[in-house]
Structures are given as C-alpha cells and as structure tokens.
Amino acid sequence: MMWPSIALLTFVTLQRLGELVLARRNTAALLARGAREVAPEHYPVMVALHAGWLVGLWLLAAGRPVELFWFGVFLGLQALRLWVLATLKERWTTRIIILPGAPLVRSGPYRFLRHPNYAIVVGEIAALPLAFGLPFYAIGFSLLNACVLHIRMKAENAALESAMILK
C-alpha cells in the first residue's frame, strides 16, 4: 500500500508550505511594527536543509510502509507544534525577528523550554524518516540540523540579549 506514505508526505509538504506563508505574513507585519531581522545570513542554509530533507523523503519514502510507533511520535510533535503556534500567534516566524520593547513570551511551552519549536523540529527531522524505516537518513539530517540550529540559537539568544529581552 503506497497511499499511507504518500498521504503523510503530502500532509508534511502542505504543512511546511502553509507555515512559510504564515511566516512571511507574520514577518511582514512585525517589520511594519518596527521589528528587525537578525542574522539573516544562515536562513538560506536552513531553508535548503529543510527542503532537502523533504525532497529526499519524497524520493526515498514514497511507497514505504509507515511504522506506527514513529508515526505516533510524529503526530504528538504536531500537537506540540500547534501549541507553539497558538502561543506565539502573530509573533511566530521562520526568521529571527526582534520586536523592540516586546516582552519575551513565557507562556505555553515557553514556560518549560526557551526554544520549544526547535526541540519539536529536532524531533520531526528524526521521527518522520524513522516512521519510514530510514534510520541513517534520520541520523544524517539530524546531524546537519544540529549544526544549523547551533548557529541559529546562538544568533537568536545574542539578539534577545542585546534587545534586553532576556533576563
């Protein structure tokens, strides 16, 4: 049966495209309110990593059986993703955008982790390939993602510190 893997890949693809639309809208609105983007130079690398991850899954996973345990993990991560989106509302974006004077969000999952969205992405990059029985793919992209996240989190934390948002 090919349809479960195709349905799952279609869902993830549409989800990512929808998130890019939402992020672009939120970014424009934040910039119009006086926000500024920080460290945009790593953004194309991050986009390329995520696009490569998804394209590779389409090439390798379409038609493979879906392992229910990892599919369940992935679904749980989607619930957490919705929690992040609902918490950040119009402040959610895929770029590092600093809105001067805006307090750091400390509700929802941000009560527990400084960067819950990144933790979710780490889980997704591993769980989805594992759901298709692709452990080496999961490891490879997890390592690449760790490199990008190291750069991104360092830049984001520095930007928040310089904006005197973090205490």
Side-chain angles (χ1 to χ4, degrees), residues 60-80:
L60 297 174
R64 292 180 69 102
V66 177
E67 296 181 19
L68 290 182
F69 173 79
W70 290 109
F71 175 67
V73 169
F74 183 77
L75 285 180
L77 291 166
Q78 299 320 292
L80 293 173

Side-chain angles (χ1 to χ4, degrees), residues 3-117:
W3 74 264
S5 61
I6 299 296
L8 182 52
L9 290 169
T10 300
F11 167 78
V12 174
T13 301
L14 293 175
Q15 177 191 47
R16 293 303 196 260
L17 291 172
E19 287 174 357
L20 287 175
V21 170
L22 176 63
R24 185 170 291 165
R25 186 182 75 209
N26 288 350
T27 297
L30 287 166
L31 293 174
R33 290 174 49 196
R36 61 184 169 80
E37 182 175 3
V38 177
E41 56 278 351
H42 77 275
Y43 188 73
V45 175
M46 188 179 74
V47 170
L49 173 77
H50 285 262
W53 173 78
L54 192 53
V55 168
L57 285 174
W58 272 102
L59 294 173
L60 297 174
R64 292 180 69 102
V66 177
E67 296 181 19
L68 290 182
F69 173 79
W70 290 109
F71 175 67
V73 169
F74 183 77
L75 285 180
L77 291 166
Q78 299 320 292
L80 293 173
R81 174 182 293 285
L82 289 174
W83 191 20
V84 165
L85 289 168
T87 300
L88 290 179
K89 299 178 181 105
E90 69 278 350
R91 288 178 63 183
W92 184 87
T93 181
T94 55
R95 296 179 178 271
I96 300 173
I97 305 293
I98 301 297
L99 183 60
L104 189 64
V105 173
R106 296 190 186 275
S107 60
Y110 292 87
R111 291 179 303 202
F112 309 108
L113 290 174
R114 182 178 284 181
H115 299 289
N117 195 60

Side-chain angles (χ1 to χ4, degrees), residues 14 70 130 143 167:
L14 293 175
W70 290 109
L130 290 172
L143 292 172
K167 304 220 187 284

